[in-house]
Amino acid sequence: MEGFGQPMSKASEVGVSTAVNDVGQAPRRGHPPELEGAYLLVFENDSSRIVRLPGTGEVLVGRGETAQLRLQDGAVSRSHARFVLKEDEAHLVDLGSQNGTAVNGERIQAPRLMLSGDIITLCGVTLVFHGPSRSRTRRPLLTLGAFRQRIEEELERAARYERAFSLVSLVCPQGLEDEAAEGLMGQLRLMDVVGRAGGGQLLVLLPEVGAEGAGAVVTRLLRESGRAQWRAGLACYPSDGCDVDTLLSGARAAAGAATEGQAAAVAQTFKLLRVGEASVVVADPAMLRLYALIARLAKADLPVLVLGETGTGKELAASALHHWSSRAGAPLVALNCAAFQENLVESELFGHEKGAFSGAVSRKTGLLEAADGGTLFLDEVGELSLAVQAKLLRVLDTQRFTRVGDTRERAINIRLVGATNRDLEQEVKAGRFRQDLYFRLGAARLCLPPLRDRKLELPLLSQSFLDEACRKVGRARMTITPGALELLSAHLWPGNVRELKNLMDFVAAGTSGEVLAPEDLWDSLGPAAPEGAKDEEGGAKEGAADAVQGFRPIEEEIRHLERSRMQAALVASGGNKTRAAELIRMPLRTFLAKLKRYTAADPSFTPGSPSREG
């Protein structure tokens, strides 16, 4: 084969760039032959030479004239051995030579896969095999959909093995994404994943890297990029979120808050807003925009309608509207419209004269007068009767009111903020709420999202509420473990922020450890005790009488059904947790978290064992 066996003197051993390649052509300038493919360094007699190997094909080694690699040693057989090269692999085969072929001192009896640096001995000749030097395999730049799927896989792996990982949002000028990605590929591990999110944004998944390690990685990426205008945001599992959307949202929000050339973590991007004597932690992008809107609305005197589920923080939003306004020095007066009967609500709002009705033994100043100059907050405004709604509409239109039992109108200067968890549009259609009052109250509306849609704030709020609760009971600060965070994230929080705060108050008062662990939450968020469970005295636990009668709380019924279905799926899958989760269409990480809780609460709940409740 032309090009094999080109001699090189001792003086030119270092100058391998002058060797002739396997097709008889000089290598390209600046590209030594060892960078272009596999080769052999041949030591024979008192000289050495380089012999290039083809990418695909066979190379016969021997003393005969037909050998592509022809040797001079008389002890070498005419057809001694053969290199077989295919698909980036090279195998060496001894052809039944009289004196044999040795690789790394061991005589070979079968085809031997060659590794770079292997030393081959053929009698008095030594060959050193060098595989082709290649740059690292270029990984594909994933689409956003494929990248999300990869995060889902990492979430399941991390939950199964209780490991951490980090997600980075790297923002660069639009049009430079491919250039930035090319630079990232060479700086990351092979296990790291890079995706494209559009708008000059790249996403990087760093498996097995926690917050501290990820911060060092991101700092290095920014430094070695040499681009001062780039910035990055960092979110870590589980401390910053336990699902794809929360982690992505957190990383993007952190990148948006970072300055050019710098990185920011989710934990650095939250805002602690002062509202009178209270404070509120805000980190979710929707909530950040909502409180920015509240700050703007506070400067106006428009009536505001605050909408949201029970416990989402409607009263806190109303308080911010007041304390951030020019009325902050005047009273903020609140009335829960659902807490009074219809005839009492009117008296509470408007006040009454002595003798206005049975039991009115003295004159009373209503809340409208008490709020003069300030703000009146009507919580659960959808509970007002139509008659009171009509009078309230007049107050809004004229800023005047009349006490119950009086004929004289009085002027007031108030701002009205209403709040409700009802769908007032449906209430208007049903005739239970006045349309004109709805439009008047709803000149500006604030819609508070539920806590289950604000999971970026959940770790921050949990720790903040827990710190506050620990201070109240006079105990040292507690930290929240990753397992507990996973459990908190999986809960749907029907009571929203109020439910979370109450839970942290209970934890601070009712637990003794220095950390909040999953088992501390099982009584509140975990499985109910099995049927027939006994207390320490051997008697039925509280609520057992209801169970005997065939009734128990609906939450317990749901947990019982979930537990039974999980147990049946484990039995059907032979204890394979991944398959069991698939059978009941439950995310694997949720399945694993719930399985831990159920097993801890009832040791008989194990894969493949019959359920005690079954």
Side-chain angles (χ1 to χ4, degrees):
M1 178 182 296
E2 184 180 1
F4 280 99
Q6 301 297 323
M8 184 173 76
S9 66
K10 288 184 179 179
S12 63
E13 285 180 15
V14 180
V16 292
S17 62
T18 62
V20 177
N21 62 25
D22 59 308
V23 292
Q25 298 176 337
R28 296 184 299 275
R29 181 177 299 176
H31 292 266
E34 65 267 30
L35 297 182
E36 297 182 357
Y39 69 94
L40 296 169
L41 185 57
V42 182
F43 295 89
E44 186 176 19
N45 299 323
D46 293 328
S47 66
S48 66
R49 52 184 168 142
I50 282 179
V51 175
R52 298 292 311 283
L53 298 174
T56 302
E58 297 183 354
V59 177
L60 177 63
V61 182
R63 196 165 41 82
E65 294 182 357
T66 58
Q68 284 88 23
L69 174 51
R70 192 172 181 182
L71 304 177
Q72 304 299 319
D73 190 329
V76 173
S77 300
R78 301 181 66 82
S79 297
H80 195 105
R82 177 181 288 114
F83 286 94
V84 180
L85 302 108
K86 184 180 181 181
E87 297 179 352
D88 292 332
E89 289 187 352
H91 288 81
L92 177 62
V93 183
D94 183 80
L95 299 179
S97 63
Q98 183 177 352
N99 295 315
T101 302
V103 176
N104 299 327
E106 178 186 355
R107 186 164 179 169
I108 63 174
Q109 305 295 332
R112 174 71 171 262
L113 176 65
M114 292 286 96
L115 300 178
S116 190
D118 281 347
I119 298 175
I120 306 156
T121 305
L122 291 81
C123 303
V125 181
T126 300
L127 314 176
V128 181
F129 175 82
H130 287 269
S133 299
R134 301 180 181 87
S135 60
R136 297 173 68 182
T137 303
R138 189 177 188 277
R139 290 161 291 176
L141 186 60
L142 300 184
T143 64
L144 181 57
F147 191 84
R148 288 177 60 91
Q149 179 61 37
R150 181 63 187 85
I151 301 175
E152 287 282 8
E153 296 167 0
E154 189 62 26
L155 279 167
E156 292 193 356
R157 187 200 64 81
R160 180 191 292 270
Y161 299 108
E162 298 183 352
R163 307 295 293 176
F165 69 86
S166 297
L167 184 64
V168 179
S169 172
L170 181 67
V171 180
C172 60
Q174 283 189 267
L176 295 180
E177 296 95 332
D178 290 339
E179 177 185 338
E182 189 72 30
L184 286 177
M185 298 296 188
Q187 300 178 50
L188 296 171
R189 304 167 300 172
L190 288 175
M191 67 191 299
D192 300 330
V193 183
V194 182
R196 185 196 303 271
Q201 183 178 195
L202 295 173
L203 300 170
V204 183
L205 174 63
L206 302 173
E208 297 289 330
V209 179
E212 184 176 348
V217 171
V218 173
T219 299
R220 175 172 54 81
L221 291 176
L222 289 172
R223 182 181 65 248
E224 296 184 5
S225 71
R227 304 281 183 167
Q229 68 271 40
W230 292 5
R231 60 183 189 275
L234 176 64
C236 300
Y237 167 88
S239 58
D240 295 326
C242 298
D243 62 88
V244 176
D245 289 329
T246 301
L247 290 169
L248 281 173
S249 174
R252 287 175 169 178
T259 57
E260 290 187 348
Q262 299 296 320
V266 168
Q268 300 171 322
T269 60
F270 76 93
K271 290 186 177 181
L272 186 64
L273 305 177
R274 298 297 303 179
V275 180
E277 296 181 357
S279 61
V280 55
V281 176
V282 183
D284 183 83
M287 292 299 290
L288 286 168
R289 288 174 173 80
L290 189 70
Y291 270 89
L293 176 59
I294 289 175
R296 294 196 300 272
L297 289 176
K299 299 175 182 178
D301 248 3
L302 289 171
V304 178
L305 183 60
V306 185
L307 306 171
E309 296 179 7
T310 298
T312 51
K314 297 188 291 293
E315 186 171 355
L316 191 59
S319 182
L321 284 166
H322 173 75
H323 287 287
W324 296 350
S325 73
S326 58
R327 297 176 178 269
L332 169 63
V333 179
L335 171 67
N336 186 341
C337 302
F340 295 90
Q341 296 178 359
E342 178 181 342
N343 59 328
L344 295 180
V345 167
E346 188 173 355
S347 173
E348 287 291 324
L349 271 177
F350 299 97
H352 61 256
E353 294 293 328
K354 181 179 178 180
F357 51 85
S358 178
V361 296
S362 62
R363 176 184 294 172
K364 178 180 179 178
T365 298
L367 297 181
L368 287 169
E369 284 184 84
D372 191 20
T375 303
L376 176 64
F377 173 52
L378 296 181
D379 197 8
E380 304 300 343
V381 69
E383 305 295 331
L384 291 175
S385 67
L386 290 172
V388 175
Q389 290 177 34
K391 293 184 177 181
L392 187 60
L393 178 63
R394 176 165 176 77
V395 173
L396 285 172
D397 287 337
T398 66
Q399 289 282 299
R400 301 180 71 83
F401 78 102
T402 302
R403 289 177 181 167
V404 177
D406 195 3
T407 58
R408 180 165 57 95
E409 284 193 332
R410 302 170 186 270
I412 53 171
N413 175 21
I414 64 167
R415 180 185 196 169
L416 186 62
V417 178
T420 181
N421 60 3
R422 290 194 177 193
D423 184 343
L424 289 189
E425 289 189 3
Q426 293 300 319
E427 294 295 294
V428 169
K429 291 179 180 178
R432 292 187 292 267
F433 201 85
R434 292 180 63 101
Q435 186 178 51
D436 45 6
L437 178 59
Y438 172 63
F439 288 136
R440 191 73 175 82
L441 267 179
R445 302 179 199 177
L446 297 173
C447 296
L448 295 177
L451 183 57
R452 61 180 173 273
D453 294 336
R454 295 153 51 185
K455 290 186 177 179
L456 191 61
E457 294 182 350
L458 186 60
L460 298 170
L461 288 173
S462 299
Q463 190 65 64
S464 176
F465 289 154
L466 185 56
D467 290 346
E468 181 183 356
C470 288
R471 285 194 299 270
K472 287 180 179 178
V473 298
R475 62 176 295 175
R477 183 178 187 267
M478 298 176 66
T479 57
I480 304 176
T481 64
L485 280 175
E486 183 82 42
L487 193 57
L488 291 169
S489 179
H491 189 58
L492 293 180
W493 301 106
N496 291 289
V497 179
R498 185 181 297 122
E499 180 186 0
L500 175 62
K501 188 177 187 307
N502 291 341
L503 175 61
M504 293 301 127
D505 287 342
F506 169 77
V507 166
T511 62
S512 57
E514 296 180 354
V515 298
L516 175 56
E519 53 266 28
D520 298 321
L521 300 172
W522 287 336
D523 288 340
S524 301
L525 306 180
E531 285 186 24
K534 304 292 183 179
D535 61 17
E536 293 180 357
E537 303 298 326
K541 288 188 175 181
E542 184 178 353
D546 290 338
V548 171
Q549 298 173 11
F551 292 96
R552 54 181 170 179
I554 188 64
E555 295 86 355
E556 186 177 333
E557 292 282 359
I558 293 171
R559 285 193 290 265
H560 172 62
L561 174 62
E562 179 181 72
R563 184 181 187 279
S564 300
R565 293 300 188 206
M566 289 176 65
Q567 181 74 359
L570 285 167
V571 172
S573 65
N576 186 308
K577 300 179 183 64
T578 301
R579 178 58 182 154
E582 292 174 351
L583 288 174
I584 59 175
R585 303 294 191 272
M586 182 183 287
L588 179 59
R589 61 181 182 278
T590 303
F591 187 93
L592 294 172
K594 291 179 180 292
L595 182 61
K596 287 181 182 178
R597 301 203 304 272
Y598 288 133
T599 303
D602 179 7
S604 73
F605 184 80
T606 54
S609 68
S611 171
R612 290 198 306 175
E613 295 185 7

